[in-house]
Amino acid sequence: NTYKPKTGNITSYEAGIIFYVKDLFTYPERYGSSIAEMRITEVPRTERTYNDNGDIIMSNGMTFEQYVGKIADLFGVDKTTVLAISYHEAGVKTSNIFKSKNNIGGHKGLNGWKSFMTLEAGVIGHVLAIRNISTKHGVDPSTPEGLSDFSSVYVNGYLGAPSAHWLEKVTYFKNQIN
């Protein structure tokens, strides 16, 4: 079966489950529940486990970068682009929003920086945000031209105003990753 949320068709069973759980947590009223019933605490879990190389190890045993790649692949988003944007927006995993809010993409909400309960949720939220922008605006951020168009929406909220600084930094990280 195919499910079509605002991010486009989801045809992978695993991606469908991930999207469902994210949607259930974010909008429990759609499923006959309430925020109080779904969320025991609003405090993000920010403890980290590291391997001998200093890599963050996710709860499933993957490194942060491996997990980003897996989620990006599941949702059909270029993993190098996802990671490059994250590195720029979250200071290569050193920014306060990364450490205290599990926000890997510099995402803002109505009340400032978005907070994610877990680092896994932050990765999923980031990948789905990139996919949503790409789908809605018909841009492919895996290409240089598409990344320029994508920067317009990601940084400024609308097409037609690319952010040269953002583009330069994300392109730098893409080149480093490649």
Side-chain angles (χ1 to χ4, degrees):
N1 290 333
T2 299
Y3 175 63
K4 187 175 180 178
K6 68 179 182 178
T7 59
N9 290 335
I10 294 176
T11 56
S12 157
Y13 183 71
E14 187 175 6
I17 290 172
I18 290 169
F19 185 85
Y20 169 74
V21 170
K22 179 218 175 274
D23 201 54
L24 174 64
F25 186 81
T26 307
Y27 305 106
E29 64 279 359
R30 291 181 183 171
Y31 304 93
S33 191
S34 70
I35 289 176
E37 292 169 319
M38 292 301 301
R39 303 182 195 165
I40 296 170
T41 178
E42 291 289 327
V43 178
R45 287 180 274 155
T46 58
E47 60 281 351
R48 306 276 193 253
T49 302
Y50 297 88
N51 67 13
D52 292 339
N53 296 328
D55 300 318
I56 295 173
I57 303 300
M58 308 298 277
S59 61
N60 63 6
M62 293 179 164
T63 66
F64 171 78
E65 286 78 7
Q66 289 169 333
Y67 188 74
V68 167
K70 176 183 175 142
I71 299 302
D73 286 347
L74 278 173
F75 287 99
V77 180
D78 179 63
K79 56 188 153 199
T80 304
T81 301
V82 172
L83 200 54
I85 293 169
S86 175
Y87 282 177
H88 170 58
E89 294 288 344
V92 192
K93 304 178 281 187
T94 62
S95 73
N96 186 48
I97 63 168
F98 181 90
K99 291 178 179 179
S100 67
K101 297 183 177 288
N102 297 313
N103 184 332
I104 76 163
H107 300 282
K108 289 186 178 177
L110 295 175
N111 299 317
W113 299 113
K114 282 189 177 181
S115 187
F116 297 89
M117 295 303 294
T118 63
L119 190 53
E120 289 84 354
V123 170
I124 292 164
H126 181 55
V127 168
L128 288 175
I130 292 170
R131 181 180 166 151
N132 183 34
I133 291 169
S134 300
T135 301
K136 181 178 179 180
H137 296 280
V139 298
D140 178 4
S142 68
T143 68
E145 300 80 23
L147 189 61
S148 178
D149 290 341
F150 183 85
S151 78
S152 294
V153 180
Y154 198 82
V155 176
N156 299 313
Y158 56 91
L159 279 172
S163 171
H165 173 75
W166 186 92
L167 191 57
E168 177 185 339
K169 296 294 185 181
V170 172
T171 301
Y172 167 80
F173 283 118
K174 281 187 77 160
N175 290 338
Q176 293 298 309
I177 294 164
N178 286 330

